[in-house]
Amino acid sequence: MRLAVKSGGKSAFNEWSMIFQKLMPDLNVVDWEEATRHPHSINFVLAWEPEGDILSRMSQLKGIISTGAGVDHIIQDPLCPRNVPIYRMGSEEISAQMADYVLWAVLCCVRRTWQWHGAQTAHNWLPPAPNRLAKDTTVGVMGLGHLGRSVADRLCTAGFPVKGWARSPYDLPGIKTYGGLEGFPTFLENLDVLICLLPSTLETVGILNTETFSALPEGASIINVGRGSHLVERDLLDALDDGRIAGAVLDVFAHEPLCTTSPLWSHPQIIITPHAAAEATRPSKAARTVEIIKAIMRGEEGPLRYHPDKGY
Ligand code: NDP
């Protein structure tokens, strides 16, 4: 079996080769130049932004694995083959990192960290304010997939009452779950912190908007770690300015890197991180790739396959 890797350029290829050699010695790993020269010899691709015309010439291709959580960079190319399964990157390592990040972000919201940051910048010693406890802070996780469940679980363990929302309800210990559009209003009721971990689809684009913010209790906070397309930025700025929303922690943006002139940067109640919540290391990406290759060779579906009908 031959795997073509397009990730990190020439300098990273030696590292990829060594990692795969240890994990699956009989896998023949080649770089993108070699794949471009001999596309018919390639069975699997692990890549970021692979050119569709090259993929379409890979007549023996059995699977395309994205090095990231999204697959837009693959499917947006009209020449990308439609009959080959595509996989999103994921691993326990990414879920654990995401759970760590969201726990930190939720605590920032609970303690209104943006106020301390503003006071520190102004050398201003704020008078003490009442501290809220985790057990009195209800958090809601939109999206109960590979990452959402790990986040919900971590928050539950940290003592937060947790609600979850997906296309249909789940049976998760200690977590109240709601499904579909009909369950959305009840899910939003009484949330102190709303966390978005949805994929970007036609149904979810712009879901963090005025209507959603208005259904939350006054003074709730927003954490967006899904995709920038989920958030209507103008609606958030308005909700912050009229006091309906207390603050936001944003890791993902419609255009990345976030433009230096964006008003989000300087808003006193917004904390910005540069799409840094969770990123797998090369060894863990390689391990997941081998897992997918072996599953496909056994005739199984394999983890985190992209379903074009669902859009994620
Ligand atoms: P999954 O595909 O595993 O899970 C998606 C979840 O969203 C599922 O629970 C699904 O419901 C739910 N969902 C999808 N559409 C709808 C809808 N219309 N209404 C209600 N629920 C819906 O995704 P992941 O957990 O792997 O990833 C989640 C997000 O995190 C993605 O946007 C990804 O890009 C982002 N991400 C961000 C990173 C960062 O560093 N900021 C790093 C990695 C990922 P159901 O279970 O019913 O199918």
Side-chain angles (χ1 to χ4, degrees):
M1 287 292 138
R2 224 168 187 215
L3 167 74
V5 178
K6 179 177 187 274
S7 173
K10 272 186 185 300
S11 55
F13 182 71
N14 278 351
E15 189 188 341
W16 282 118
S17 263
M18 282 189 298
I19 300 168
F20 279 112
Q21 174 62 31
K22 279 193 198 133
L23 290 170
M24 194 174 173
D26 54 344
L27 185 68
N28 182 356
V29 182
V30 299
D31 65 14
W32 201 243
E33 249 178 60
E34 169 66 10
T36 309
R37 275 197 301 272
H38 300 288
H40 298 295
S41 69
I42 304 299
N43 307 108
F44 297 97
V45 162
L46 169 67
W48 183 258
E49 296 183 341
E51 298 87 338
D53 64 320
I54 298 173
L55 293 176
S56 68
R57 284 190 276 131
M58 294 177 173
S59 55
Q60 304 299 317
L61 195 57
K62 299 179 193 310
I64 305 168
I65 302 146
S66 167
T67 53
V71 298
D72 306 16
H73 63 103
I74 301 171
I75 55 169
Q76 71 197 5
D77 191 327
L79 295 175
C80 170
R82 302 288 141 180
N83 56 343
V84 176
I86 299 176
Y87 293 84
R88 296 177 294 115
M89 186 49 66
S91 65
E92 279 180 25
E93 184 189 42
I94 300 181
S95 317
Q97 286 180 26
M98 184 58 86
D100 284 352
Y101 176 96
V102 174
L103 178 60
W104 163 79
V106 169
L107 289 169
C108 285
C109 296
V110 172
R111 290 300 182 104
R112 305 278 196 257
T113 304
W114 43 83
Q115 291 179 351
W116 287 338
H117 179 69
Q120 181 175 344
T121 309
H123 299 198
N124 180 18
W125 187 266
L126 286 180
N131 284 325
R132 185 181 192 126
L133 290 171
K135 74 175 181 57
D136 301 323
T137 306
T138 304
V139 297
V141 184
M142 300 163 80
L144 294 172
H146 150 249
L147 299 177
R149 266 183 293 205
S150 153
V151 163
D153 207 41
R154 178 72 65 86
L155 293 171
C156 206
T157 307
F160 292 93
V162 181
K163 294 167 86 178
W165 183 66
R167 284 183 313 150
S168 44
Y170 277 85
D171 189 11
L172 300 177
I175 298 162
K176 280 191 197 159
T177 68
Y178 303 81
L181 282 180
E182 61 287 3
F184 196 46
T186 330
F187 163 72
L188 294 174
E189 268 172 21
N190 79 322
L191 291 186
D192 298 300
V193 184
L194 177 65
I195 300 150
C196 180
L197 263 165
L198 292 166
S200 181
T201 67
L202 290 177
E203 288 86 42
T204 65
V205 162
I207 195 163
L208 297 176
N209 58 24
T210 299
E211 202 184 331
T212 301
F213 301 149
S214 305
L216 295 168
E218 195 166 320
S221 303
I222 306 295
I223 296 170
N224 190 18
V225 265
R227 287 303 192 86
S229 58
H230 291 132
L231 176 68
V232 182
E233 291 179 1
R234 188 66 260 163
D235 288 4
L236 175 66
L237 291 167
D238 289 346
L240 287 167
D241 291 343
D242 70 17
R244 168 148 291 284
I245 296 297
V249 180
L250 307 176
D251 185 54
V252 286
F253 303 89
H255 301 287
E256 295 181 0
L258 182 62
C259 164
T260 50
T261 55
S262 167
L264 298 173
W265 282 115
S266 48
H267 198 287
Q269 288 133 264
I270 294 180
I271 295 175
I272 287 176
T273 54
H275 202 141
E279 173 66 29
T281 56
R282 286 189 185 130
S284 98
K285 289 182 185 186
R288 175 49 65 95
T289 301
V290 166
E291 196 185 333
I292 294 170
I293 291 174
K294 287 185 174 170
I296 293 175
M297 285 165 64
R298 285 193 302 267
E300 294 165 11
E301 174 166 302
L304 297 185
R305 181 169 170 182
Y306 165 74
H307 292 277
D309 48 327
K310 291 200 288 184
Y312 61 98

